[in-house]
Amino acid sequence: MRTLSGACSDSLHRSMSDPRLDANELYLLAMLLAQPADDALEALKDLLPQAPWLSEAVAELERLPLERWQGEHTRLFVNGYPKTPCPPFESAYRQGHMGGTAAGDLEALYLRVGLASTGAPADFLGTLLECAAMLAERGDSDSKLCELWDEHLVRWAPRFADDLEAHGRLKLYRSVGIRLGRLFPEQAHDG
């Protein structure tokens, strides 16, 4: 596992040097934020050897119709009533609405590191995690990884993780909240 130098936060140093965390974990967490498709359960089963922490969630999902999983995803991340409990967007957490300045700042960062737009909002947590994973894999962009971590993720993802753990009705999303929270061991997770 590579270590980082420079003025990165202690949280990033601890997270990235932790042998339990690597780029694959970041990619997995990003994937788990996506809307579940017809083959999502089979994909999760295939991941169990690398991610045994998903075993209880997979067992629960095997007993549920896909529509229930999709409904929970929508309730948590897209359109909960009366309020969406866990919008996975930096601007929603930091600025109280979608499309804030954080999205523009992230678009500029993505351009600097050579990432093309995927169609998802730039401040979608899945996109931030995928970018962090890519930068960690490259090993040549410590300063950009530090910028992504310190200027963006640390400022809201710990609260998102706590909200996901607290509001998730499915074991999968509570487990994702716990795993995300472990990326930020030194941050206050309450705001």
Side-chain angles (χ1 to χ4, degrees):
M1 177 62 48
R2 60 187 290 286
T3 58
L4 299 169
S5 59
C8 284
S9 70
D10 288 341
S11 173
L12 178 60
H13 282 288
R14 283 193 227 347
S15 294
M16 296 308 291
S17 63
D18 185 333
R20 296 169 296 174
L21 175 73
D22 61 14
N24 291 330
E25 172 101 352
L26 295 172
Y27 283 126
L28 174 61
L29 291 169
M31 180 193 79
L32 293 171
L33 295 173
Q35 174 73 24
D38 290 340
D39 61 348
L41 183 57
E42 290 307 313
L44 283 182
K45 288 178 185 178
D46 291 343
L47 293 168
L48 286 176
Q50 300 92 303
W53 60 272
L54 288 171
S55 61
E56 289 181 28
V58 167
E60 178 183 52
L61 292 170
E62 286 177 319
R63 297 186 304 270
L64 300 174
L66 176 62
E67 294 78 18
R68 170 81 194 285
W69 182 5
Q70 291 170 330
E72 176 68 348
H73 178 276
T74 299
R75 182 188 73 80
L76 286 170
F77 303 140
V78 180
N79 192 22
Y81 180 81
K83 179 180 181 257
T84 303
C86 310
F89 303 97
E90 181 176 354
S91 58
Y93 267 81
R94 292 186 60 203
Q95 297 164 322
H97 59 85
M98 294 292 296
T101 57
D105 294 344
L106 284 161
E107 287 174 9
L109 174 63
Y110 298 154
L111 285 174
R112 289 196 319 272
V113 301
L115 289 178
S117 174
T118 63
D123 64 339
F124 171 57
L125 181 56
T127 305
L128 276 80
L129 293 172
E130 286 182 2
C131 182
M134 184 211 60
L135 292 171
E137 283 179 333
R138 272 197 215 170
D140 64 351
S141 299
D142 284 357
S143 67
K144 291 177 181 76
L145 181 55
C146 290
E147 178 183 347
L148 178 66
W149 202 267
D150 291 342
E151 298 302 317
H152 296 281
L153 285 165
V154 163
R155 294 181 179 208
W156 71 281
R159 284 184 295 139
F160 173 85
D162 286 347
D163 288 346
L164 189 55
E165 184 181 357
H167 295 285
R169 293 178 183 158
L170 295 179
K171 179 72 174 166
L172 173 67
Y173 294 120
R174 291 190 306 272
S175 297
V176 169
I178 291 167
R179 294 300 279 212
L180 279 169
R182 289 180 183 168
L183 297 177
F184 309 97
E186 300 298 315
Q187 274 59 49
H189 290 230
D190 58 3

